[in-house]
Amino acid sequence: MRQSDEKRRYDDACGLAHALDLLGDRWAMLVVRELAYGPRRFSGLKADLPGISANVLTQRLAELERSGIIRKSKLPPPASVQVYEATPWGLEVAPVIGRLGKWAARSPAHDPTLPMSPAALMMSFETLFDPERAAGLRGRFGFRFGSADYIATVSGGAITVARRDCAGCDVVFTGESNDIAAVIHGGAPLELVRVEGDRSLAEKFRTLFPLPEKVETLGPLA
Amino acid sequence: MRQSDEKRRYDDACGLAHALDLLGDRWAMLVVRELAYGPRRFSGLKADLPGISANVLTQRLAELERSGIIRKSKLPPPASVQVYEATPWGLEVAPVIGRLGKWAARSPAHDPTLPMSPAALMMSFETLFDPERAAGLRGRFGFRFGSADYIATVSGGAITVARRDCAGCDVVFTGESNDIAAVIHGGAPLELVRVEGDRSLAEKFRTLFPLPEKVETLGPLA
DNA sequence: CCGTATCCAATAAGATACTG
DNA sequence: CAGTATCTTATTGGATACGG
């Protein structure tokens, strides 16, 4: 628990400074990332945020709720479990933090071999998607992570992602998000994960997400 | 100085997590904002980041330089003073943090009456600009803050901002960035600041930056 | 004047154990 | 499973002193 009532804030009218008042605390943006595709439970969030401790997660959820970025809600019966979900406004920041991620992927210090959560992987599909490479391609691509299913729909040079059952997809990838990330982004062999359905479509899917070029280590000598 | 050599990092391959490794420390993004339009000196940065202490600024500058986001450089003689400037890659994150700011401006908790630095104000012009309202408008708008001059060029339904002498502008606003912000964004009377040049153009300029609608306090009851 | 280094008090984050 | 409580450690900001 916070000992003082007053949170540390920037004394600055700039919208960016206020964004950092709202999302600048450690873990806050990553919590929003995890909620980008639908409601999640406390334990799921904790599991997908490697290294966060329960008390910090509790505090972040409370602050984000106070700010109106997320809210508590209850899944319909018979589940009836409590979950956290992004509000419509909270959801609007997802594409912005996605672009922040795309920018950072050019950093020489970025290490793509670290673990990657299902939500992070699905967001990478949205942010790294290349419409030109997807021209003329149509398909529904399912991802079964054990904890949840997601589908990515490619059509008309665009991609959309949703958390939804994989039934009816043209291809379904099943495995750990780390391994699926290695296959899609890292060029690892398809055999690392389970692939059901149209295999050639799966191969094409892998080509849609070019990694941004790394920055030169010493920076361009302008 | 940091006591441990190891910086606290996220153990996460997600680009966003890496962005926060690079820019997640307090003040870091605001330093980048201040460098968005050109090189700045230490004391200028300190003055425009209300509340930062010299040692924290020193530390942030060193970290950002290590990451390749900014670099030290020397102004050409006879000035020959040391300045900090964003690298080309570092500059690329400016529009992204601008969008973060635009998103946060919808927060019910956002207080636009707080102080606002010149760089923050100029960035707000870029992020809040409405191309439809600027249709058919052309002009060069100068801003003289005492510490530096900036110009905003509106043409063809677009706006560009640069730090440059105001000479040749159609309108020049002179005053403190706080007051100019109150005039442009807050609807304060033009008389609060000094306006030279085409006054009707100045009035039109004020209409180009609609503030985003506030979120309802309790959030939409979906 | 332009920073940098050091010390200090307050606060935020992390680890771990524990409760309903 | 969903958090709390408690303790320890790390980071922040302010003051101040110092070097170019």
Side-chain angles (χ1 to χ4, degrees):
Chain A
M1 266 297 176
R2 199 180 291 277
Q3 273 151 19
S4 127
D5 230 16
E6 279 302 307
K7 211 187 138 166
R8 182 157 53 191
R9 266 176 282 145
Y10 293 107
D11 185 29
D12 192 325
C14 171
L16 173 60
H18 188 57
L20 297 171
D21 287 337
L22 299 170
L23 291 177
D25 282 343
R26 194 166 160 78
W27 299 107
M29 288 195 205
L30 298 183
V31 170
V32 174
R33 177 195 76 191
E34 290 300 318
L35 297 180
Y37 301 108
R40 304 281 307 270
R41 308 174 62 159
F42 187 93
S43 56
L45 294 171
K46 183 163 182 337
D48 284 348
L49 295 169
I52 199 174
S53 55
N55 53 1
V56 172
L57 179 54
T58 298
Q59 190 180 307
R60 281 308 158 269
L61 290 169
E63 288 162 358
L64 290 169
E65 190 183 10
R66 269 206 308 275
S67 304
I69 295 166
I70 71 172
R71 60 188 167 202
K72 282 187 194 174
S73 111
K74 240 185 175 45
L75 247 38
S80 294
V81 297
Q82 182 183 269
V83 291
Y84 298 88
E85 64 177 350
T87 62
W89 173 57
L91 219 45
E92 286 175 27
V93 84
V96 184
I97 64 183
R99 294 192 51 158
L100 211 46
K102 184 176 184 176
W103 169 81
R106 300 188 56 200
S107 162
H110 180 227
D111 178 1
T113 67
L114 293 169
M116 171 168 260
S117 79
L121 178 60
M122 300 312 293
M123 188 173 279
S124 76
F125 294 157
E126 294 191 305
T127 55
L128 299 179
F129 181 74
D130 179 350
E132 290 188 19
R133 296 192 184 202
L137 187 67
R138 271 182 85 88
R140 288 154 53 83
F141 303 86
F143 298 87
R144 212 186 283 281
F145 297 112
S147 48
D149 283 15
Y150 292 79
I151 69 176
T153 305
V154 175
S155 169
I159 190 169
T160 59
V161 169
R163 210 170 75 207
R164 186 130 44 92
D165 192 88
C166 289
C169 283
D170 302 301
V171 191
V172 177
F173 296 84
T174 304
E176 277 195 49
S177 52
N178 286 338
D179 293 333
I180 299 181
V183 167
I184 308 279
H185 292 313
L190 264 193
E191 288 66 36
L192 187 57
V193 301
R194 183 163 161 190
V195 181
E196 294 161 291
D198 186 333
R199 197 181 179 82
S200 81
L201 210 50
E203 289 286 5
K204 278 188 198 129
F205 185 78
R206 298 217 276 178
T207 67
L208 304 180
F209 312 98
L211 292 172
E213 263 180 67
K214 291 286 182 199
V215 169
E216 298 159 48
T217 314
L218 294 175
L221 305 171
Chain B
M1 267 296 176
R2 199 179 290 279
Q3 275 151 18
S4 123
D5 228 17
E6 279 303 306
K7 210 185 140 170
R8 184 158 52 192
R9 264 177 282 168
Y10 294 107
D11 184 31
D12 193 324
C14 172
L16 173 61
H18 188 58
L20 297 170
D21 287 336
L22 299 171
L23 292 177
D25 282 343
R26 196 167 160 78
W27 300 107
M29 288 194 204
L30 299 183
V31 170
V32 175
R33 175 194 77 190
E34 290 301 318
L35 297 180
Y37 301 108
R40 304 282 307 271
R41 310 175 61 159
F42 187 94
S43 55
L45 294 171
K46 183 163 182 337
D48 284 347
L49 295 169
I52 198 172
S53 55
N55 51 3
V56 172
L57 179 54
T58 299
Q59 189 180 306
R60 281 307 158 272
L61 291 169
E63 288 162 357
L64 289 169
E65 191 184 9
R66 268 207 307 275
S67 304
I69 295 166
I70 71 171
R71 59 188 167 203
K72 281 188 194 173
S73 111
K74 241 185 176 43
L75 248 37
S80 296
V81 298
Q82 182 181 269
V83 291
Y84 298 88
E85 65 178 348
T87 62
W89 172 57
L91 218 46
E92 287 175 26
V93 85
V96 183
I97 66 184
R99 296 195 51 153
L100 255 189
K102 183 175 185 178
W103 169 81
R106 299 188 57 201
S107 163
H110 180 225
D111 179 0
T113 68
L114 294 169
M116 171 168 261
S117 79
L121 177 59
M122 301 311 293
M123 188 172 278
S124 77
F125 294 157
E126 294 190 305
T127 57
L128 300 179
F129 182 74
D130 179 350
E132 292 188 17
R133 297 191 183 203
L137 187 67
R138 272 182 84 87
R140 286 153 54 83
F141 302 86
F143 299 86
R144 213 185 282 279
F145 297 112
S147 48
D149 284 14
Y150 292 79
I151 70 174
T153 306
V154 176
S155 170
I159 191 169
T160 58
V161 169
R163 210 170 75 207
R164 186 129 44 93
D165 192 88
C166 290
C169 283
D170 303 299
V171 190
V172 176
F173 297 84
T174 305
E176 276 195 48
S177 52
N178 287 338
D179 294 333
I180 298 181
V183 167
I184 309 278
H185 293 313
L190 263 193
E191 287 65 37
L192 186 58
V193 300
R194 182 164 162 192
V195 181
E196 294 161 289
D198 185 334
R199 196 180 181 82
S200 79
L201 209 50
E203 289 287 6
K204 278 186 198 131
F205 185 79
R206 298 218 275 178
T207 67
L208 304 180
F209 312 99
L211 292 172
E213 264 180 65
K214 291 286 184 199
V215 170
E216 299 159 46
T217 315
L218 294 175
L221 305 172

